[in-house]
């Protein structure tokens, strides 16, 4: 059965909360698809940038969501998501009746379920919709979205989902399932980045031609999407954050907490998490997650591009 939503498609008004590298691209994709988009961020410069590119900006959360049919929350974690909804300036008291809240933050599935219950008790819809794909795909409207929620939440969110994603996986009718899928993805992503960085630094320690290592490995069975995507940052000596070390400090920490609660062993996660923690402790927390290669190099004396030879 197809559910029809008031003001569907191009007439929908969307508010994007959080105009960081992902949220800004998602707001651009929504605007390009013809939705009326209002952007809000705690950093006024991010809002000003969105206005300069033809969007509408808001100076408060309430102003951003007051007329929105769809609210897309692209904040860092569950704590920030709860603050957006129920904090001192929380939007739960001012959202438009029948609006849908799309939560894109990575979080423990149990927290996603709790937030959904609280939002839905107030008469709004909640879509648990973590994202994957990075800033470049966000800007192109080509994200992968792992979503779960009621049929009405999906129907209300459809104009935004179609605009932001190349793939929308509808994973169930209850919040928390999307979050659980995202945590499996983050387990793999975090471990694969750590393995890629360990391998390229080990190659450097052996004085191999790193460009040739990249060429050979990406054509061989040892390749991974993360090796192919992250190692060019290492080869360029450019650790400008596209996805920061601290993201995996957080996400692998969530995976480990979930696993501990289930009495499930995750030794590869534990080992990778220690490397992210070490990189953060060494001052690289806000740098690109490929900085794990720099950490390995510092520990071993390996020489990577862009580093000063000891």
């Amino acid at each position: 059965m197809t559910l029809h939503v008031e003001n569907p498609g191009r007439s929908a008004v969307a508010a994007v909360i959080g105009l960081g590298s992902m949220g800004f691209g998602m707001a651009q994709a929504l605007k390009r698809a013809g939705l009326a988009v209002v952007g809000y961020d705690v950093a006024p410069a991010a809002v000003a940038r969105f206005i300069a590119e033809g969007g509408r900006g808001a100076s408060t959360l309430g102003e951003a969501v007051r007329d929105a049919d769809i609210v897309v929350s692209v904040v860092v974690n569950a704590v920030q998501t709860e603050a957006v909804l129920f904090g001192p300036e929380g939007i739960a008291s001012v959202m438009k009746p029948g609006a849908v809240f799309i939560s894109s933050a990575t979080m423990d599935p149990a927290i996603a379920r709790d937030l959904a219950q609280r939002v839905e008790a107030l008469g709004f819809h909640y879509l648990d919709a973590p994202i994957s794909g990075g800033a470049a795909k966000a800007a192109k409207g080509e994200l992968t979205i792992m979503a779960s929620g009621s049929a009405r939440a999906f129907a209300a969110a459809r104009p935004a989902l179609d605009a932001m994603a190349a793939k929308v996986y509808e994973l169930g009718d209850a919040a928390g399932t999307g979050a659980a899928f995202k945590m499996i993805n983050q387990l793999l992503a975090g471990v694969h980045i750590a393995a890629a960085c360990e391998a390229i630094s080990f190659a450097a320690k052996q004085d191999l031609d790193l460009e040739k290592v990249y060429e050979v490995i990406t054509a061989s069975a040892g390749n991974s999407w993360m090796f192919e995507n992250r190692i060019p940052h290492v080869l360029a000596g450019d650790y400008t954050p596209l996805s920061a070390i601290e993201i995996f400090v957080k996400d692998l920490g969530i995976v480990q907490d979930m696993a501990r609660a289930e009495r499930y062993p995750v030794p590869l996660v534990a080992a990778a998490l220690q490397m992210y923690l070490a990189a953060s402790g060494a001052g690289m927390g806000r740098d690109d997650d490929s900085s794990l290669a720099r950490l390995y190099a510092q520990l071993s004396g390996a020489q990577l591009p862009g580093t000063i030879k000891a």
Side-chain angles (χ1 to χ4, degrees), residues 132-135 137 185 189 192-193 196 214 218 222-233 289:
S132 182
K137 287 191 176 183
N185 181 78
H192 288 176
I193 292 167
Y214 181 76
T218 55
N223 190 34
S224 68
W225 191 93
M226 286 301 187
F227 186 95
E228 194 163 343
N229 181 267
R230 296 306 204 268
I231 297 309
H233 306 179
D289 51 33

Side-chain angles (χ1 to χ4, degrees), residues 13-309:
V13 177
V16 177
I17 309 302
L19 296 173
S21 59
M22 295 296 289
F24 193 90
M26 292 161 73
Q28 287 179 310
L30 290 166
K31 183 165 63 69
R32 191 167 56 248
L35 283 78
V37 184
V38 182
Y40 172 79
D41 195 280
V42 293
V47 179
R49 180 186 170 207
F50 186 58
I51 293 171
E53 297 205 5
R56 291 170 52 201
S59 58
T60 67
L61 281 169
E63 180 188 349
V65 308
R66 192 165 287 113
D67 298 318
D69 307 292
I70 302 166
V71 178
V72 184
S73 176
V74 200
V75 295
V76 172
N77 54 29
V79 172
Q80 290 186 5
T81 303
E82 183 170 26
V84 165
L85 285 164
F86 302 109
E89 299 180 14
I91 63 174
S93 61
V94 295
M95 281 173 61
K96 184 178 177 180
V100 59
F101 183 84
I102 302 177
S103 175
S104 294
T106 301
M107 65 181 72
D108 188 305
I111 297 176
R113 288 190 290 271
D114 176 68
L115 290 174
Q117 290 173 0
R118 293 163 68 185
V119 168
E120 290 166 354
L122 297 173
F124 307 117
H125 305 298
Y126 185 104
L127 195 69
D128 174 23
I131 54 180
S132 182
K137 287 191 176 183
K140 293 177 182 177
E142 296 178 353
L143 290 171
T144 295
I145 298 182
M146 297 160 257
S148 62
S150 70
R152 290 187 178 276
F154 272 107
R158 187 64 59 194
L161 298 177
D162 290 345
M164 297 186 298
K167 293 181 180 180
V168 178
Y169 290 101
E170 300 187 16
L171 301 171
D173 59 6
T177 305
F181 270 80
K182 178 62 184 292
M183 295 321 305
I184 300 302
N185 181 78
Q186 295 306 91
L187 182 161
L188 290 165
V191 169
H192 288 176
I193 292 167
C197 291
E198 183 174 297
I200 199 68
S201 299
F202 188 43
K205 183 66 175 176
Q206 297 177 78
D207 295 321
L208 300 181
D209 180 335
L210 298 187
E211 296 281 354
K212 186 60 69 174
V213 170
Y214 181 76
E215 178 184 344
V216 170
I217 295 302
T218 55
S220 302
N223 190 34
S224 68
W225 191 93
M226 286 301 187
F227 186 95
E228 194 163 343
N229 181 267
R230 296 306 204 268
I231 297 309
H233 306 179
V234 179
L235 300 182
D238 182 1
Y239 299 95
T240 302
L242 299 179
S243 174
I245 287 286
E246 288 294 347
I247 289 175
F248 282 101
V249 171
K250 169 180 70 75
D251 290 357
L252 293 189
I254 294 172
V255 172
Q256 190 157 271
D257 288 345
M258 291 169 62
R260 182 166 55 248
E262 296 286 343
R263 297 300 186 265
Y264 183 86
V266 283
L268 298 183
V269 168
L273 177 57
Q274 291 304 308
M275 297 307 295
Y276 288 105
L277 285 167
S280 179
M284 304 177 196
R286 296 184 180 275
D287 294 340
D288 193 76
D289 51 33
S290 59
S291 292
L292 282 191
R294 285 192 290 165
L295 181 68
Y296 275 107
Q298 288 179 10
L299 293 172
S300 67
Q303 184 68 29
L304 292 175
T307 59
I308 300 172
K309 193 162 188 141

